[in-house]
Amino acid sequence: MSINFSEVADRYRDELLGNVIPFWTDHSIDREHGGFFTCLNRQGKVYDTDKFVWLQGRQVWMFASLYNNVEKKEKWLEIAENGARFLEKHGRDNDGNWYFSLTADGRPLVAPYNIFSDCFAAMAFAQLEKATGEKKYSDIATGTFRNIIRRAGNPRGRYEKRIPGTRNLRSFSLPMILCNLALEIEHLLDREYVEEIISGCIEDVMDVFFDPVLGLIRENVNDDGSFSDTFEGRLINPGHGIEAMWFVMDLAERDGDRLLAEEAVRRTLHILENSWDEDYGGIYYFLDIKGSPLQQLEWDQKLWWVHMETLVSLIKGYRQTGNQECLKWFEKVHDYTWSHFPDREYGEWYGYLNRRGEVLIPSKGGKWKGCFHIPRGLYQVWKTAEKLK
Amino acid sequence: MSINFSEVADRYRDELLGNVIPFWTDHSIDREHGGFFTCLNRQGKVYDTDKFVWLQGRQVWMFASLYNNVEKKEKWLEIAENGARFLEKHGRDNDGNWYFSLTADGRPLVAPYNIFSDCFAAMAFAQLEKATGEKKYSDIATGTFRNIIRRAGNPRGRYEKRIPGTRNLRSFSLPMILCNLALEIEHLLDREYVEEIISGCIEDVMDVFFDPVLGLIRENVNDDGSFSDTFEGRLINPGHGIEAMWFVMDLAERDGDRLLAEEAVRRTLHILENSWDEDYGGIYYFLDIKGSPLQQLEWDQKLWWVHMETLVSLIKGYRQTGNQECLKWFEKVHDYTWSHFPDREYGEWYGYLNRRGEVLIPSKGGKWKGCFHIPRGLYQVWKTAEKLK
């Protein structure tokens, strides 16, 4: 099999710079209060003005990253700083924890129960520090990061509804995100501190949450790492597992660890084979590791981020290991993705398809989908394909 | 249009007593620890042993109700008391709040954040008191009921993640459930206290949460009763609205209030017309009152309880008002329901269908579906049809 990487690079770049980014610059900026609207309908019209800290941070990160890595466009930096000012002014409680959501004018709506608000804020301010060199951004990024590490043992804090002691579970999401965040923020931290965090995260992601018999990644495990035969313990989120593998490939590249890269590639392919819908195409959203009935009513849906993150893992995996299976799967996932998600009439991409690949919800953004996975993935595939030309 | 109510009564009774109840008596009883398993797969095999207080209470209620209203079978009372002993022993924290879930042997898993655990426990023990006359059951029922009323202003208590003051919303679910619970428990309470609660609930359900322009019931409103143009404020749950209407019809019958019954019938029909899927049949799970994109990825699915509760509202509505539209719709919803939900191979009914009416999750029970809506609805339609013979 051969792929024309030059064409791949052009296509992903053109989609990023010619469709997706203009959609967000045209429709999402709140010029009155700062920050971004992310609840955009199919046409890009704002249908809800609430501001979700996950998505505020992610969009700041995205525009700062474009400025740092694509082109020093003042407009991109301005957009990032517009979001950063809003977050800086309104985003945290008195203890420096990031709220989950805010009103359009910045009043807190939902308490800081969700540590990923903090993760995406740290990521945003660390990337913005790279763009500006401003110490205040560095302080917010590192202060938030240390707070995340401090809270990691009990991320939901007083909002934890599980009774301690009966069934203590650990969740895959946090070590997974830390694999990526550690690389995003390492220029601001002591080398030793970063190394310790990275080696802990790699161990979590590659060993603790890995089911060696089935070759799949568990979303939750008992706190001693063993399997929990419960709804949470049986849960598989294929997109999470595959996305984590490109975070690990980036760490493997950083450390020149070819064996780690090869293992991450094997796992990417295995999870993908296990979660591809042979009837309708696309990757399932959730599976049960024992095949038991799921509680997630959305289990069979096809989501934008799952497919985009898979494309990133496959092309990075191919570049690092030369594994031909990565190319075969890249072509298959690419074809599914491009024929189902982009909206050629009104721009940007749909987020939520049903099992058959039909549009389930036509909006371009909401409480969870913002300016992040599609543009970040397009950028990652573009830049990786360029290196393969 | 004419319906043979005798045939309807027979069919619903036979399904209740010949299929649904035997499925639960055969598969759900935990003879080791007491209580019920509700996570039953298509064949009735237990695939998860956690116990959810909503469903424990509902199954106690169901069997006590069969004993009280269908036949004094000792087996049914034993099953109800088996659940009640488990709940009594393990279900509450030291303040008398009901946990959300427990392990199979009764250790608390999830804290009492959900006031509906308390509602279904109160309903269970009040019905069991009717069966046995036991004061301890009465004490649990009335103590729990008073605790619900005390907590009603802030039902989630310390687990509330919304910041007080920014956007104070009231939710339809609690007044809706109280309309039913008040009737279930009134034999144990002072008449004046009950009247006050009932008139408050009717006002909430019929006025506060009602959008008079669109004729629909809002799931959440501002605390002054006004419309909140937010995700929560725009949400419509047609099944909730329609179910609430038969609770109101029961209250109307109790009070001989024919105008109230007629209004409840009009609203049932209007919500139903608004939420029927013209393309594939069935009633949508969620809608947005402005037609904006929803956050609920399951919005277009067809759920067991929605259809069963609708059948109850339609036949009760017909009996109380003679409105022929009720019969027309009863026939249509009956045909959809009976051709999609029952599992003729392994018994009981499916819970979750996709928009097209195909089985999405083949289990017969889980974290939310137990021995409740199907048998209660079959019983209600049976008994109402009998009165129409």
Side-chain angles (χ1 to χ4, degrees):
Chain A
M1 178 173 317
S2 84
I3 284 184
N4 183 330
F5 288 109
S6 195
E7 279 177 17
V8 169
D10 290 352
R11 182 163 187 183
Y12 282 73
R13 181 200 61 218
D14 291 351
E15 185 72 5
L16 174 68
L17 303 178
N19 171 13
V20 173
I21 290 302
F23 186 92
W24 293 96
T25 51
D26 287 352
H27 301 298
S28 75
I29 319 295
D30 181 353
R31 300 193 190 283
E32 186 183 353
H33 299 292
F36 311 113
F37 299 119
T38 64
C39 298
L40 304 178
N41 73 6
R42 187 179 169 200
Q43 288 78 19
K45 190 166 165 289
V46 177
Y47 66 88
D48 195 282
T49 60
D50 283 355
K51 290 174 178 163
F52 305 96
V53 170
W54 278 39
L55 301 193
Q56 301 295 311
R58 285 169 156 190
Q59 188 159 347
V60 170
W61 176 87
M62 191 68 232
F63 278 89
S65 175
L66 289 171
Y67 179 85
N68 290 332
N69 301 310
V70 176
E71 193 188 332
K72 296 276 171 295
K73 277 199 190 182
E74 276 310 310
K75 184 182 174 186
W76 288 344
L77 185 58
E78 275 165 28
I79 290 173
E81 293 206 273
N82 161 67
R85 277 190 303 272
F86 181 84
L87 280 175
E88 191 185 350
K89 194 165 168 190
H90 304 294
R92 288 164 294 179
D93 71 8
N94 292 333
D95 300 321
N97 302 308
W98 293 85
Y99 292 115
F100 181 73
S101 64
L102 309 160
T103 58
D105 59 356
R107 285 169 298 137
L109 272 172
V110 174
Y113 78 96
N114 186 303
I115 201 167
F116 301 102
S117 302
D118 304 73
C119 291
F120 298 120
M123 192 171 160
F125 284 96
Q127 191 67 227
L128 195 54
E129 189 280 341
K130 272 191 195 162
T132 61
E134 285 226 33
K135 183 164 181 307
K136 71 172 177 179
Y137 295 146
S138 163
D139 289 346
I140 296 174
T142 56
T144 299
F145 186 77
R146 287 178 193 279
N147 196 24
I148 293 165
I149 300 301
R150 188 184 58 74
R151 287 170 59 189
N154 181 21
R156 295 175 73 94
R158 58 172 280 231
Y159 302 100
E160 181 56 75
K161 292 180 297 197
R162 290 180 294 196
I163 304 281
T166 309
R167 181 185 295 156
N168 294 336
L169 297 176
R170 291 188 61 203
S171 165
F172 180 67
S173 307
L174 188 57
M176 166 198 163
I177 290 291
L178 287 176
C179 279
N180 181 242
L181 182 55
L183 273 183
E184 287 284 334
I185 202 173
E186 68 170 332
H187 62 289
L188 302 176
L189 298 171
D190 298 339
R191 189 173 170 84
E192 209 171 308
Y193 179 67
V194 171
E195 292 301 337
E196 193 187 317
I197 284 166
I198 286 178
S199 74
C201 290
I202 291 178
E203 189 190 333
D204 281 342
V205 168
M206 298 304 281
D207 297 333
V208 175
F209 288 88
F210 185 64
D211 179 326
V213 175
L214 298 175
L216 299 173
I217 295 175
R218 300 164 177 156
E219 275 298 288
N220 300 282
V221 295
N222 289 321
D223 58 4
D224 65 359
S226 63
F227 174 57
S228 169
D229 192 357
T230 59
F231 284 113
E232 287 165 299
R234 290 189 301 270
L235 191 66
I236 303 290
N237 180 330
H240 253 186
I242 292 171
E243 181 180 3
M245 291 303 100
W246 78 254
F247 297 165
V248 170
M249 290 176 208
D250 278 1
L251 292 170
E253 182 162 34
R254 168 186 181 271
D255 297 339
D257 187 340
R258 196 180 156 87
L259 286 178
L260 181 62
E262 281 173 354
E263 190 57 32
V265 166
R266 270 193 296 277
R267 295 187 186 178
T268 298
L269 293 167
H270 187 73
I271 297 169
L272 188 49
E273 282 155 12
N274 198 268
S275 56
W276 185 257
D277 181 349
E278 292 296 342
D279 295 323
Y280 296 105
I283 301 159
Y284 291 119
Y285 188 11
F286 289 111
L287 293 169
D288 182 288
I289 206 163
K290 292 175 72 178
S292 293
L294 286 150
Q295 294 307 303
Q296 284 76 12
L297 303 186
E298 64 276 28
W299 74 273
D300 68 351
Q301 296 175 10
K302 312 295 162 64
L303 270 68
W304 82 107
W305 67 268
V306 173
H307 293 78
M308 187 48 95
E309 298 302 335
T310 300
L311 289 167
V312 175
S313 292
L314 290 167
I315 198 161
K316 283 188 186 254
Y318 175 71
R319 191 177 77 81
Q320 287 189 36
T321 68
N323 187 321
Q324 288 290 321
E325 282 294 299
C326 290
L327 278 199
K328 196 191 87 183
W329 272 106
F330 180 83
E331 205 155 30
K332 188 166 173 172
V333 179
H334 168 100
D335 287 347
Y336 181 88
T337 302
W338 284 82
S339 61
H340 288 84
F341 286 100
D343 176 5
R344 289 292 161 233
E345 196 169 348
Y346 293 103
E348 237 275 339
W349 291 29
Y350 297 115
Y352 303 93
L353 312 179
N354 68 15
R355 182 172 176 187
R356 285 177 164 85
E358 297 158 342
V359 176
L360 176 73
I361 291 175
S363 59
K364 299 301 163 47
K367 190 168 169 178
W368 304 106
K369 181 174 187 288
C371 179
F372 187 63
H373 286 286
I374 298 292
R376 182 178 75 169
L378 291 168
Y379 170 81
Q380 288 284 350
V381 175
W382 160 29
K383 289 294 175 182
T384 309
E386 266 195 346
K387 291 179 191 148
L388 286 162
K389 280 200 294 200
Chain B
M1 177 175 315
S2 83
I3 285 185
N4 184 330
F5 289 109
S6 196
E7 280 178 18
V8 169
D10 290 351
R11 182 162 188 184
Y12 282 73
R13 182 201 59 218
D14 292 350
E15 185 72 5
L16 174 69
L17 302 178
N19 172 15
V20 173
I21 291 301
F23 187 92
W24 293 96
T25 52
D26 288 352
H27 300 299
S28 75
I29 320 295
D30 182 353
R31 301 193 189 282
E32 186 182 354
H33 300 292
F36 311 112
F37 299 118
T38 62
C39 299
L40 305 178
N41 72 8
R42 188 179 168 198
Q43 287 78 19
K45 191 168 166 287
V46 176
Y47 67 87
D48 195 281
T49 61
D50 284 355
K51 290 175 179 161
F52 305 96
V53 171
W54 277 39
L55 302 193
Q56 301 296 310
R58 284 168 157 192
Q59 189 159 347
V60 171
W61 176 87
M62 191 67 233
F63 279 88
S65 176
L66 289 172
Y67 180 84
N68 290 332
N69 301 310
V70 177
E71 192 187 333
K72 296 275 173 293
K73 277 199 189 182
E74 276 310 309
K75 185 180 172 186
W76 287 344
L77 185 58
E78 275 166 27
I79 290 173
E81 292 206 274
N82 160 67
R85 278 191 301 273
F86 181 84
L87 280 175
E88 192 185 351
K89 194 164 170 192
H90 305 294
R92 287 163 295 177
D93 71 9
N94 292 333
D95 300 320
N97 302 307
W98 293 85
Y99 292 114
F100 181 75
S101 64
L102 309 159
T103 59
D105 59 355
R107 285 169 298 136
L109 272 173
V110 173
Y113 78 95
N114 187 303
I115 201 166
F116 301 101
S117 303
D118 304 71
C119 291
F120 298 120
M123 192 170 159
F125 284 95
Q127 190 67 230
L128 196 53
E129 189 280 341
K130 274 191 195 162
T132 61
E134 286 228 29
K135 183 165 180 306
K136 71 172 176 178
Y137 295 146
S138 164
D139 289 346
I140 296 174
T142 55
T144 298
F145 186 78
R146 288 179 192 279
N147 197 24
I148 292 165
I149 301 300
R150 190 184 55 75
R151 286 169 60 190
N154 180 21
R156 296 175 73 94
R158 56 171 284 231
Y159 302 100
E160 180 56 75
K161 293 180 296 197
R162 289 180 294 193
I163 304 281
T166 308
R167 180 185 296 156
N168 295 337
L169 296 176
R170 291 187 61 203
S171 166
F172 179 67
S173 308
L174 188 56
M176 166 197 162
I177 291 292
L178 288 177
C179 279
N180 181 241
L181 182 55
L183 272 183
E184 287 284 335
I185 202 172
E186 68 170 333
H187 60 290
L188 302 176
L189 298 172
D190 298 338
R191 189 173 170 84
E192 208 173 312
Y193 180 67
V194 171
E195 293 301 336
E196 191 187 321
I197 283 165
I198 287 179
S199 73
C201 290
I202 291 179
E203 188 190 334
D204 281 342
V205 167
M206 297 305 281
D207 296 334
V208 175
F209 287 89
F210 184 62
D211 180 326
V213 176
L214 297 175
L216 299 172
I217 295 174
R218 300 164 176 155
E219 275 298 289
N220 300 282
V221 294
N222 289 320
D223 55 6
D224 65 359
S226 62
F227 174 58
S228 169
D229 191 357
T230 59
F231 284 115
E232 289 165 299
R234 290 188 300 270
L235 192 66
I236 302 291
N237 180 331
H240 254 185
I242 293 171
E243 181 180 3
M245 290 305 99
W246 78 254
F247 297 165
V248 169
M249 290 175 209
D250 278 1
L251 292 170
E253 182 161 35
R254 167 186 183 272
D255 297 339
D257 188 340
R258 195 180 157 90
L259 287 178
L260 181 61
E262 281 173 356
E263 188 57 34
V265 166
R266 269 194 296 277
R267 294 187 188 179
T268 297
L269 293 167
H270 187 73
I271 297 169
L272 188 48
E273 283 155 13
N274 198 267
S275 57
W276 184 258
D277 180 348
E278 291 296 341
D279 294 324
Y280 297 104
I283 301 160
Y284 290 119
Y285 189 10
F286 289 111
L287 293 170
D288 182 287
I289 206 163
K290 292 175 73 178
S292 293
L294 288 150
Q295 295 307 301
Q296 284 76 9
L297 302 186
E298 64 275 28
W299 74 272
D300 67 352
Q301 295 174 10
K302 311 295 163 64
L303 269 68
W304 82 106
W305 67 268
V306 173
H307 293 77
M308 187 48 94
E309 299 302 335
T310 299
L311 289 167
V312 176
S313 293
L314 289 168
I315 197 160
K316 282 187 187 253
Y318 175 71
R319 191 177 77 81
Q320 288 189 34
T321 67
N323 187 322
Q324 288 291 320
E325 282 294 299
C326 289
L327 278 200
K328 197 191 87 182
W329 272 106
F330 180 83
E331 203 155 32
K332 188 167 172 171
V333 179
H334 168 99
D335 288 346
Y336 181 89
T337 301
W338 285 83
S339 60
H340 287 85
F341 287 101
D343 177 5
R344 290 290 159 232
E345 195 169 349
Y346 293 102
E348 239 272 342
W349 291 28
Y350 298 114
Y352 302 93
L353 312 179
N354 68 16
R355 182 172 175 185
R356 284 177 165 85
E358 298 159 343
V359 175
L360 176 74
I361 292 174
S363 59
K364 300 299 162 49
K367 190 169 169 179
W368 304 105
K369 182 175 186 288
C371 179
F372 187 62
H373 286 286
I374 298 293
R376 183 179 72 168
L378 291 169
Y379 170 80
Q380 288 285 351
V381 175
W382 160 29
K383 290 293 174 183
T384 309
E386 268 194 345
K387 292 178 193 151
L388 286 163
K389 278 202 292 199

